[in-house]
Amino acid sequence: MLTTILALVVSAAIDSTTLFIGDQTDLHLRATCEVGEQVQLPVLSEELIPGIEIVDKTIIDTAMLNDGRVQYNQYVTLTSFEDSLFYIAPLPFVSGDDTVWSESLMLNVVQPFEMDSTDMAITDIKGIYKAPIWWWGILRWVLLALAIAGIGVGGYYLITYLQSRARKSEDEVLPAEPLRPAEEVALEKLDAIREQKIWQTGQVKEYHTQLTDVVREYIARRFEVSSVEQTSDETLRAMRGLLSDKKELYESLREMLTLADLVKFAKWTATPDENEKSLRSAYTFVKETTPVEEPTEN
């Protein structure tokens, strides 16, 4: 079922509206919006509603559509152990100050068989059964406890021995090589990309992938933002506050990441000027965000 507000289209659909007790089915949540628009899908806990449990749910997947819009998808696996017809109220999708509700759903959970009590005869309760002592089982547990104790003692002496060997060789251990500055590594990789010129040979997608990977790795080290694992929108949300005093730099970063997403996911054909501009934007971003060392006072 689809619900629309302005440029936002949302839907919630169940794969199977009739379910046997204990079986599972998927609830598909979908939201389609313009690029740059932020959408929050319904926040779900352990139960969708009382009587319908959530077994699992996927992470929210982002996909670029052919018309240039962005689609968010999430699958939620449901199950129920109650024989009933459930009404699922509309679910909220939040975009800025607006809330869009999906249409209501129905899920019919049925018992696949009926209990036949006609053949059940009433009998007396049996007496208490006294189980014999299982001596082999007791002996096995005793042997297992002794083995575990022996392994623990042996492990203690082994660790003590290895630690003593390590202390003796501390003076021979070479110091670890210091980590190179993030901006130095990033500029070196950008120089390599500029020299390779792979986009001139038709490898435009690989070019933008390498370019944005360098910028994302630099952001992760310089600003401690997990940009490598995040989408472009998540990275831009995190960087908006960090670059609040450098709006032009933020806009160039946004244009570069957006163009890369269009090239990689929407098969966008970038012009030579756009390819060169993305490389310049990457250089500028690294240089403008490199910390400036203050001169020391004598």
Side-chain angles (χ1 to χ4, degrees), residues 7 10 31 38 49 76 82 98 106 115 126 131 133 145 152 158-159 195 218-219 224 248 254 257 295:
V10 304
Q38 305 299 323
I49 60 173
V76 183
E82 297 183 16
D98 298 321
M106 303 294 290
M115 299 295 295
K126 293 184 178 181
I133 300 176
L158 177 61
I159 293 174
E195 292 176 1
Y218 171 76
I219 290 175
E224 297 183 355
E248 293 183 0
R254 184 185 64 80
L257 294 179

Side-chain angles (χ1 to χ4, degrees), residues 200-212:
Q200 286 92 331
T201 61
Q203 304 179 63
V204 180
K205 181 178 180 180
E206 291 77 5
Y207 168 76
H208 285 276
T209 300
Q210 294 179 10
L211 194 61
T212 52

Side-chain angles (χ1 to χ4, degrees), residues 35-36 215 219 232 235-237 239-260 277-278 280-282 284-285 288-289:
V35 175
V215 175
I219 290 175
S232 297
T235 299
L236 291 172
R237 283 199 300 269
M239 295 301 299
R240 183 181 293 113
L242 298 174
L243 299 177
S244 57
D245 56 340
K246 298 180 179 180
K247 295 184 178 180
E248 293 183 0
L249 192 62
Y250 172 81
E251 286 299 321
S252 65
L253 174 64
R254 184 185 64 80
E255 292 177 0
M256 178 181 61
L257 294 179
T258 301
L259 177 61
K277 183 179 179 181
S278 292
R280 291 195 303 270
S281 298
T284 302
F285 180 80
E288 291 293 331
T289 56

Side-chain angles (χ1 to χ4, degrees), residues 293-298:
E293 297 184 0
E294 296 183 358
T296 58
E297 296 181 0
N298 295 327

Side-chain angles (χ1 to χ4, degrees), residues 178-191 211 213-225 228 282-283 285-291 293:
L179 191 64
R180 296 173 61 193
E183 61 275 8
E184 180 180 326
V185 175
L187 292 175
E188 182 178 290
K189 292 182 178 180
L190 291 176
D191 290 340
L211 194 61
D213 285 348
V214 172
V215 175
R216 289 177 181 273
E217 292 172 0
Y218 171 76
I219 290 175
R221 289 191 56 191
R222 172 68 181 86
F223 299 96
E224 297 183 355
V225 174
V228 178
Y283 272 110
F285 180 80
V286 174
K287 293 178 180 179
E288 291 293 331
T289 56
T290 298
E293 297 184 0

Side-chain angles (χ1 to χ4, degrees), residues 133-152:
I133 300 176
W134 188 28
W135 294 107
W136 166 241
I138 296 175
L139 178 61
R140 187 169 61 181
W141 282 107
V142 171
L143 294 176
L144 179 61
L146 292 176
I148 293 175
I151 293 174

